[in-house]
Amino acid sequence: MTKPKVLILVASAALLFLIPKLLSAQITDKNGIVAKGAKVEKLGDGYSFTEGPAADQEGNVYFTDQPNNKIYKWSASTGKISLFTDQAGRANGLYFDQKGNLIAAADMDNQLWSFDKAGKPTVLVKEYKGKLLNGPNDLWIAPSGAMYLTDPLYKRDYWTRTPEKQQAGEYLYYLSPDRKKFYPVDETLVKPNGIVGTPDGKKLYVADIEAGKTYVYTINKDGSLSGRKLFVEMGSDGMTIDNQGNVYLTGKGVTVFDKEGRQIAHIPIQENWTANVVFGGKDRSTLFITAMGSVYGLKMKVKGI
């Protein structure tokens, strides 16, 4: 009788050890923003590192495989993934402008690019004060057409230029709607990364990933920023926002905060790093998540903008 008891005790101890891990993998959702019974589903894999998801007007989601210099398209109607371009400028963050062009933080030559619907690129920004940018990372486009761009330094092994910092700091930049003015609007961040704004164009959220903070700014009529306030004590790689004003931060899965900065949900992703997130699908109710070599989806009760 001794051996069975020992085995039972060992098995019980092992189960107790596993319970915290099992519980930590569950979605927490205080405000009911996730669709009832929904689970995280893998939509595609086999990539090197996925980033920069952006939804077009039909809800199709474009995302990058940055190390492989490619942009892919996930179809909202079929769920299939196809290649958009294999000359992506090593794009990281993506965002669609009002004309349907795909704007890309093209990290290969540290520029800001615009792709037309056929995948043909045009360079929008190639330098600031005669020097390359550090490495355009993420962007958001306001209703006015103005663009806000984060420019941290992450040294890439494919760069042909010196890997050292090109600008005096790692800045948050502004590009005017007519694309004639380009300059920093915050020079005090340590390493700005994820960025998203409200649909009314009045607020801008920017993550300082190295400082472990996310800030919220007031966007003035001339495009300048003022009234920077701490939103949450958490940095983020990519960001998005839903139709209730909740802000989604990434890193260890997806963490959701309401507009007051209170955490209301956490969506664990079984990957070492969750890079970025956006709402896609025909009704904008699919949370599309890029994480390491895969992309995931989660059906939500709330919707994207």
Side-chain angles (χ1 to χ4, degrees), residues 14-53:
L15 182 60
L16 288 171
F17 177 76
L18 287 172
I19 283 175
K21 292 186 177 180
L22 292 172
L23 291 176
S24 67
Q26 295 178 350
I27 294 173
T28 58
D29 181 14
K30 296 179 181 179
N31 290 15
I33 62 174
V34 179
K36 187 176 181 180
K39 296 181 180 180
V40 175
E41 299 180 12
K42 184 177 286 188
L43 303 178
D45 58 15
Y47 310 102
S48 291
F49 191 83
T50 58
E51 251 288 8

Side-chain angles (χ1 to χ4, degrees), residues 93-233:
L94 305 173
Y95 206 92
F96 278 94
D97 69 12
Q98 295 170 347
K99 296 179 180 179
N101 300 307
L102 183 61
I103 311 302
D107 185 72
M108 182 169 64
D109 294 315
N110 302 300
Q111 299 172 340
L112 187 66
W113 285 14
S114 173
F115 289 93
D116 64 17
K117 293 182 180 180
K120 181 182 177 181
T122 300
V123 177
L124 299 182
V125 175
K126 62 179 181 180
E127 61 185 21
Y128 175 65
K129 289 190 173 180
K131 294 182 179 180
L132 292 174
L133 299 177
N134 295 318
N137 187 281
D138 206 357
L139 72 141
W140 177 74
I141 303 176
S144 66
M147 300 185 195
Y148 295 86
L149 173 72
T150 59
D151 185 45
L153 177 66
Y154 293 103
K155 298 178 182 180
R156 313 295 190 185
D157 57 12
Y158 52 76
W159 279 346
T160 56
R161 54 92 158 176
T162 172
E164 301 310 313
K165 190 180 295 181
Q166 300 298 291
Q167 297 295 326
E170 301 179 38
Y171 300 153
L172 169 65
Y173 288 89
Y174 166 85
L175 178 63
S176 61
D178 62 9
R179 299 175 182 173
K180 294 181 179 180
K181 298 177 183 178
F182 180 72
Y183 53 85
V185 283
D186 193 336
E187 300 179 10
T188 66
L189 300 167
V190 181
K191 193 176 289 292
N193 198 310
I195 183 171
V196 73
T198 55
D200 60 8
K202 294 182 178 181
K203 298 291 182 182
L204 182 70
Y205 296 89
V206 179
D208 190 338
I209 193 167
E210 194 164 295
K213 301 178 187 297
T214 295
Y215 297 100
V216 58
Y217 303 76
T218 295
I219 302 175
N220 303 316
K221 289 184 179 181
D222 63 357
S224 62
L225 304 178
S226 62
R228 188 180 89 173
K229 296 180 181 179
L230 179 66
F231 178 60
V232 293
E233 291 275 1

